[in-house]
Amino acid sequence: MAAEQSNHFTEQDKLERENHNQDRESRESTAHGSNAENKHSTPSEDKTTTSRKDKRGFASMDAAMQRAIASKGGRAAHAQGVAHEFNSAEAREAGRKGGVAVSRNRQHMAEIGKKGGEAAHKKRQKDNTNSSV
């Protein structure tokens, strides 16, 4: 199976990424050019700009590009047979763990119970008004 692995990106995908990177570089050079002209900025102005580490690589891409790449990765994993798929037992266990975690917050559970009680009470009132007619 390892011999069958190949780069799942098409030439079109590579071109899209190159264009995206060029666009980003041009935006960065424009932003850096304006900073170069104004070298006497105050420390408070420096804090408002983002550092280069804020968004690099995958994080710097727009959301649509990220989704497209992630989607291809998921399809490739399924095609290779290495993707994980939940079965009903695993899903049940995950749901149980989530329920246990949520139920530890007593205030949250009280709010949920209150809403449920109010909804049931309103339904009972509706049913009683319809049946008395």
Side-chain angles (χ1 to χ4, degrees):
M1 181 164 296
E4 295 175 12
Q5 291 181 358
S6 65
N7 187 356
H8 292 281
F9 293 108
T10 63
E11 290 299 318
Q12 179 67 28
D13 298 330
K14 291 176 184 177
L15 289 173
E16 287 176 8
R17 288 184 74 187
E18 286 176 11
N19 289 339
H20 179 74
N21 288 337
Q22 288 173 353
D23 292 343
R24 186 188 62 195
E25 288 171 2
S26 67
R27 286 191 307 267
E28 287 177 357
S29 66
T30 304
H32 292 304
S34 63
N35 287 342
E37 294 170 7
N38 185 11
K39 292 185 179 187
H40 300 288
S41 61
T42 62
S44 62
E45 289 175 10
D46 291 342
K47 290 180 182 177
T48 59
T49 60
T50 58
S51 68
R52 287 206 71 224
K53 287 190 175 185
D54 282 350
K55 288 202 170 191
R56 299 186 300 181
F58 197 71
S60 69
M61 297 179 191
D62 60 349
M65 179 68 81
Q66 288 180 357
R67 275 193 299 275
I69 292 172
S71 174
K72 289 175 184 171
R75 287 192 193 107
H78 281 281
Q80 293 175 0
V82 295
H84 180 76
E85 294 182 19
F86 277 102
N87 59 30
S88 61
E90 287 175 315
R92 188 179 314 111
E93 179 65 14
R96 187 192 67 75
K97 285 181 179 180
V100 167
V102 168
S103 66
R104 286 187 185 135
N105 184 345
R106 301 286 294 164
Q107 182 180 1
H108 177 69
M109 293 304 289
E111 290 171 10
I112 292 172
K114 183 178 177 182
K115 287 180 183 177
E118 289 171 354
H121 184 68
K122 286 179 184 176
K123 183 179 179 194
R124 239 180 273 128
Q125 284 179 338
K126 270 187 192 177
D127 290 343
N128 289 339
T129 58
N130 288 340
S131 63
S132 64
V133 175

